[in-house]
Amino acid sequence: MNISSNVTIARGVRINTYANIMHDCRIGEFATIAPNAVLLGRVTIESQAYIGANATILPGLKIGRGAVVGAGAVVTKDVHDYEIVVGIPAKSMNKENR
């Protein structure tokens, strides 16, 4: 894993192998970052969120509490609390957010 400068990691966070977390990111409690995930600069991951393997989160975005980003997704906009997003670009799987 690669963790850059000025990154805040709360308690209970799991960061898997080959994950890349760039500058000024913040990761909330009990979040999971799967293998090969990439968080570009200034990304905020709220508590209990899950970032899937090979997912990419573009700079300055927020992933809400309990949200799930599917494997290989490219996130281009903020993800709401408890929302599930998949694909390139990532789109919501939750009916209320479609």
Side-chain angles (χ1 to χ4, degrees):
M1 92 180 101
N2 177 40
I3 300 175
S4 188
S5 63
N6 202 32
V7 172
T8 303
I9 301 171
R11 70 186 177 104
V13 170
R14 291 176 300 256
I15 301 173
N16 285 279
T17 58
Y18 303 110
N20 285 291
I21 302 170
M22 299 298 115
H23 66 89
D24 303 302
C25 289
R26 186 180 71 78
I27 305 173
E29 293 183 334
F30 303 105
T32 298
I33 312 298
N36 295 309
V38 177
L39 281 57
L40 298 174
R42 301 176 326 279
V43 169
T44 299
I45 307 294
E46 296 292 344
S47 61
Q48 300 174 344
Y50 179 86
I51 309 302
N54 298 302
T56 299
I57 315 298
L58 295 184
L61 297 180
K62 177 182 173 184
I63 308 300
R65 177 182 179 89
V68 175
V69 174
V74 176
V75 179
T76 60
K77 59 184 181 178
D78 290 345
V79 176
H80 301 292
D81 292 350
Y82 303 102
E83 186 174 13
I84 300 168
V85 298
V86 298
I88 302 172
K91 296 187 192 268
S92 181
M93 295 299 293
N94 300 55
K95 287 183 181 179
E96 64 274 6
N97 293 324
R98 286 189 194 172

